């Protein structure tokens, strides 16, 4: 198999071209647009669908499909009625570090917008998953995640009221919840985490500001303190076109 001299280690082998050499027309157009995108800077507009169709001698629907995939992959983004080059994806470490720390490490400004903060009796499924007692009061904290004022995710946190009784009075919703816990002398010990791909519900898509068809990365986390006691249950939904996750493995 021949490899191009500029083949990146993480790129699809032979740029995704099958051995028989026959590729869908939209994919050939997508590859040409992608090469053009690499020459432009972040935020720069690309030609219109009509202009691209004329340049490449294909139907507008072919161009539309190519652009749709590049948007879903996070290479391009919609802005108003046009399409511009997207910036690099945010890399979030798979660790007990907070969202705030991960975003700041990349020179971006983290933020959050409060959606809901309420309390209710712990239901059986939550109790079974976390080790909390059924019926004990729990907080539900839901916030939209921001990076440089761009909406990039949605986070729901469940925590026992007994652990943070003044959450509604003392906590700044725009700040790090982990930082708040540390200020109370509560430290994280370990956590179980599960990642899956999903589509956002209509409500979630509206809160994050994305089309419902945009793939999302969903992280479920159950955390415990250093004494092994249940601490939080988090459901974090991240835009698939704006995030990637990293971890370090040892043998």
């Amino acid at each position: 198999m021949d490899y191009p001299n500029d083949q990146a280690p993480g790129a699809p082998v032979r740029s995704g071209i099958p051995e028989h050499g026959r590729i869908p027309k939209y994919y050939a157009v997508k590859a040409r647009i992608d090469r053009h995108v690499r020459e432009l800077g972040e935020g720069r507009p690309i030609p219109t669908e009509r202009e691209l169709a004329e340049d490449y001698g294909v139907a507008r629907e072919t161009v539309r499909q190519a652009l749709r995939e590049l948007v879903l992959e996070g290479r391009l983004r919609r802005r108003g009625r046009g399409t511009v080059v997207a910036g690099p994806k945010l890399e979030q470490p798979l660790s007990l570090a907070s969202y705030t720390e991960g975003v700041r490490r990349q020179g971006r400004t983290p933020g959050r917008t409060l959606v809901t903060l309420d309390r209710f009796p712990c239901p059986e499924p939550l109790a079974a998953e976390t080790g909390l007692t059924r019926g004990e009061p729990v907080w539900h904290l839901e916030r939209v995640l921001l990076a440089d004022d761009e909406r990039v995710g949605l986070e729901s946190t469940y925590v026992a009221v007994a652990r943070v009784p003044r959450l509604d009075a003392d906590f700044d919703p725009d700040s790090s919840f982990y930082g708040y816990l540390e200020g109370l002398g509560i430290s994280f010990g370990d956590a179980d985490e599960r990642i899956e791909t999903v589509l956002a519900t209509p409500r979630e898509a509206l809160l994050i500001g994305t089309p419902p068809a945009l793939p999302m990365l969903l992280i479920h986390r159950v955390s415990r303190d250093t004494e092994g006691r249940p601490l939080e249950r988090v459901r974090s939904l991240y835009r698939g076109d704006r995030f990637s996750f990293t971890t370090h493995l040892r043998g």
Side-chain angles (χ1 to χ4, degrees), residues 186-228:
I186 301 174
S187 300
F188 283 86
D190 67 288
D192 295 316
E193 201 162 69
R194 176 167 56 89
I195 303 176
E196 58 183 310
T197 56
V198 298
L199 296 178
T201 66
R203 175 181 179 271
E204 291 168 337
L206 183 63
L207 287 170
I208 302 174
T210 60
L214 180 70
M216 297 282 179
L217 295 168
L218 175 61
I219 293 186
H220 302 272
R221 174 186 285 186
V222 177
S223 305
R224 292 166 288 272
D225 63 18
T226 52
E227 298 179 0

